[in-house]
Amino acid sequence: NGSASIVLIIASNDFIQFSLTIFWMGIFLVVGSYFNDKTSRKRFLLRVLMVKQQNQIIREKSRNERMQRHFLENILPASVVEKLQLQQEQWSLQLQHDKIQTSSISQRHFGVGILYADLVGFTSFCKQVDPFSVMVFLNDLFEVFDGLCDDFNVYKVETVGDCYVATVGVVTGEQTVQDVSITDSMPKTSTASRTNAKDLVSFAKAMVWGSRQVKKPVLDTPALLRVGLHTGSCISGIIGTRNFKFSLFGDDVTIAAAMEKTGVPDCIHASEDVVKLVPEERWEKCKVHEAAVQSGVTSFLLSV
């Protein structure tokens, strides 16, 4: 009996020790599982946060690219922006001393309507009004013109001081385009476009009407325009690699500028080429002007 009791006691002690061992192992496993689960949760949350930050960075980058694209397209035509971006990618793969070849962006346009508009008496007006008021006045006036562009398929090329330059057929309207090399010469003939000329004349009339609604500060008189129109062909492009500026070149561009310079205040001065395409307007024939061209250009006036 004594031996049996001893054996029973030893067995009980072994069982207790085994149970305690199992208990503490269970505690360690539970605690370890808790800390492992906590670490896994932290890693998961960290990954989620990283993915969220990456998506936010991608969205911000896309938004910035869209804004940059929008700003560029307000300065240059969309087709030119695309070509510049493509050339920039090609340039980045070349040596640093290479330059972007902007000559390949040049294009020849046919059937283009070209408009030059200038304020009458702007120089004397600037002498009587402070520069800030002049700037505010020009901004108000050109905002009126800019608001009319989409209504008549007009593309605003630039403003030089008080001169407003616009076209139909280069970026908007009926377009006949041909890529050219910088060494190519302009053809003497071009395809006429009645639609472009008609849109340009309508835009010019709207400009004259709109200018009358804008009053000059201090003087409190309406702004009067001298508008010149011509149609023909031209070459468009940008020059240099900094501060890009979209420009038009060619004899027909020069003639359009001459129409404006030799025009009559508050009237539209157009070449015979424009009149032939839009004969339904009440044109009045003018004398021949030889400004900026070797041969005379018969011109007509349209009172608005």
Side-chain angles (χ1 to χ4, degrees):
N1 291 334
S3 298
S5 299
I6 293 172
V7 171
L8 183 59
I9 293 172
I10 294 173
S12 298
N13 291 334
D14 290 341
F15 177 75
I16 292 172
Q17 290 180 357
F18 178 76
S19 299
L20 289 174
T21 302
I22 294 298
F23 173 76
W24 286 114
M25 287 181 63
I27 294 296
F28 290 144
L29 288 174
V30 170
V31 173
S33 176
Y34 168 76
F35 283 108
N36 184 54
D37 182 67
K38 187 176 180 180
T39 303
S40 298
R41 288 175 180 270
K42 287 183 177 179
R43 290 176 180 174
F44 174 75
L45 292 175
L46 183 60
R47 286 197 297 269
V48 171
L49 182 61
M50 290 177 61
V51 171
K52 185 177 180 180
Q53 289 176 342
Q54 289 175 353
N55 291 335
Q56 185 176 359
I57 291 173
I58 293 173
R59 286 195 299 269
E60 287 294 327
K61 183 179 179 182
S62 300
R63 187 174 68 89
N64 290 336
E65 289 177 351
R66 287 195 300 269
M67 290 179 61
Q68 291 175 1
R69 178 78 180 221
H70 176 71
F71 289 145
L72 281 174
E73 290 181 354
N74 279 337
I75 301 173
L76 302 172
S79 59
V80 174
V81 173
E82 291 177 0
K83 290 182 179 181
L84 282 174
Q85 289 179 338
L86 179 61
Q87 288 194 350
Q88 182 67 31
E89 293 174 0
Q90 295 174 350
W91 175 76
S92 63
L93 299 177
Q94 299 174 359
L95 297 177
Q96 294 297 324
H97 62 269
D98 292 340
K99 295 182 179 179
I100 300 176
Q101 298 299 319
T102 56
S103 60
S104 63
I105 300 176
S106 301
Q107 290 182 319
R108 179 184 289 120
H109 306 269
F110 303 95
V112 176
I114 308 167
L115 174 146
Y116 276 76
D118 206 353
L119 277 171
V120 178
F122 182 72
T123 302
S124 59
F125 164 68
C126 290
K127 293 179 180 179
Q128 303 175 61
V129 183
D130 66 277
F132 179 76
S133 298
V134 172
M135 184 184 68
V136 173
F137 163 71
L138 283 179
N139 183 68
D140 293 340
L141 182 64
F142 288 166
E143 277 188 356
V144 173
F145 299 159
D146 292 345
L148 297 170
C149 288
D150 291 339
D151 297 335
F152 302 99
N153 295 319
V154 171
Y155 179 78
K156 174 185 174 182
V157 179
E158 62 178 345
T159 57
V160 183
D162 63 318
C163 183
Y164 193 97
V165 184
T167 64
V168 184
V170 175
V171 180
T172 56
E174 291 185 353
Q175 301 179 46
T176 304
V177 181
Q178 177 185 358
D179 291 334
V180 297
S181 168
I182 201 67
T183 58
D184 289 345
S185 58
M186 271 313 287
K188 297 301 181 182
T189 59
S190 62
T191 304
S193 173
R194 170 175 165 79
T195 301
N196 291 344
K198 189 174 181 179
D199 285 342
L200 194 68
V201 172
S202 298
F203 176 70
K205 292 166 64 176
M207 286 182 72
V208 174
W209 289 329
S211 66
R212 295 170 182 169
Q213 309 304 317
V214 181
K215 300 290 185 178
K216 295 180 180 178
V218 179
L219 303 181
D220 197 32
T221 56
L224 297 181
L225 290 182
R226 194 169 46 240
V227 183
L229 306 181
H230 183 56
T231 183
S233 57
C234 67
I235 288 180
S236 69
I238 56 177
I239 297 178
T241 57
R242 292 179 180 272
N243 298 329
F244 291 141
K245 179 183 177 183
F246 184 69
S247 303
L248 303 181
F249 306 92
D251 291 340
D252 290 320
V253 178
T254 304
I255 293 175
M259 290 295 103
E260 178 272 314
K261 292 179 181 178
T262 56
V264 176
D266 211 32
C267 290
I268 298 171
H269 190 206
S271 65
E272 187 176 12
D273 293 336
V274 175
V275 175
K276 288 179 179 179
L277 294 173
V278 193
E280 61 271 17
E281 298 290 345
R282 297 181 178 179
W283 301 102
E284 297 179 5
K285 190 174 182 179
C286 300
K287 64 180 181 179
V288 174
H289 293 280
E290 297 184 356
V293 287
Q294 293 182 355
S295 59
V297 177
T298 304
S299 61
F300 296 78
L301 281 176
L302 176 63
S303 299
V304 181

